[in-house]
Amino acid sequence: MKYLKFILVFVIAATFSGCNTYSFTGISVNADSFQVKHFQNNAELVEPGIERTFTNKLQELIQNQTRLNLTDSNPDLVYEGEITQYRISPMTATANQGAAQNRLSITVNVRFLNKNNPDGDFEKPFSFYYDYNGNDLPTGSVLTTAVNEIFERISQDIFNESLTNWSKA
């Protein structure tokens, strides 16, 4: 009985692995290639370099979780947009009227184009935040940690919206 279950799982896995439109990550798209155009930083408060960090983070996520090929010419899928908000705001106050905790919020506006299925095209903002100690400045390791966590979440949300059926259920 144990071997029968193993064979059944193997047959199912082999069946799905040969199909280019579905994988065990939930991807359901008919495409072979993608392009992530450079995201511009159009926020009022500009932190240098985060646009490159975000562009790379989105490219890496798609490459690591799909079999899609990254290309610069004639892609099936195109991601483009801009960072529209980079905001630091106090979240809690101290008795001395200082900030006990601050929040870094970033919003990225994304335009997704699917050459093979224009019904899946969208333009929408994706946002996330990171809370940090009010005594810290958003520089160095605090900034690196915050930006990485924010962009990891935003990239995953974009991935889910554009390439999986989970967000459309």
Side-chain angles (χ1 to χ4, degrees):
M1 187 65 170
K2 186 163 103 174
Y3 294 110
L4 182 61
K5 288 180 185 178
F6 176 75
I7 292 171
L8 182 61
V9 168
F10 179 77
V11 169
I12 291 171
T15 301
F16 284 122
S17 68
C19 180
N20 72 347
T21 61
Y22 184 83
S23 75
F24 287 110
T25 60
I27 298 168
S28 178
V29 64
N30 183 19
D32 295 317
S33 61
F34 76 99
Q35 178 183 26
V36 178
K37 293 185 176 180
H38 182 75
F39 278 69
Q40 297 294 318
N41 191 346
N42 296 337
E44 287 184 28
L45 179 59
V46 174
E47 178 62 41
I50 66 169
E51 67 279 1
R52 183 178 56 253
T53 302
F54 175 73
T55 301
N56 291 340
K57 181 77 77 179
L58 184 56
Q59 283 177 346
E60 289 169 8
L61 177 74
I62 296 168
Q63 285 180 308
N64 291 338
Q65 293 190 17
T66 71
R67 294 183 180 173
L68 297 172
N69 297 310
L70 179 63
T71 185
D72 287 334
S73 62
N74 199 23
D76 295 324
L77 310 174
V78 177
Y79 296 85
E80 61 185 11
E82 53 279 332
I83 297 171
T84 58
Q85 183 180 68
Y86 179 95
R87 183 179 59 195
I88 299 168
S89 44
M91 294 307 298
T92 56
T94 64
N96 300 336
Q97 296 187 11
Q101 188 175 39
N102 288 322
R103 173 170 287 177
L104 171 60
S105 303
I106 300 177
T107 301
V108 179
N109 187 57
V110 177
R111 288 176 294 284
F112 172 72
L113 307 168
N114 184 337
K115 182 177 80 174
N116 299 329
N117 180 16
D119 290 340
D121 294 356
F122 64 81
E123 179 174 0
K124 73 183 269 189
F126 293 86
S127 298
F128 200 61
Y129 61 88
Y130 179 83
D131 293 335
Y132 60 95
N133 188 311
N135 295 326
D136 293 337
L137 294 174
T139 60
S141 65
V142 172
L143 178 62
T144 300
T145 301
V147 167
N148 284 335
E149 188 171 312
I150 291 168
F151 285 161
E152 184 176 319
R153 174 63 181 267
I154 290 174
S155 296
Q156 190 65 55
D157 289 348
I158 293 166
F159 178 89
N160 290 343
E161 181 73 24
S162 62
L163 297 176
T164 68
N165 287 329
W166 301 333
S167 62
K168 294 167 181 56

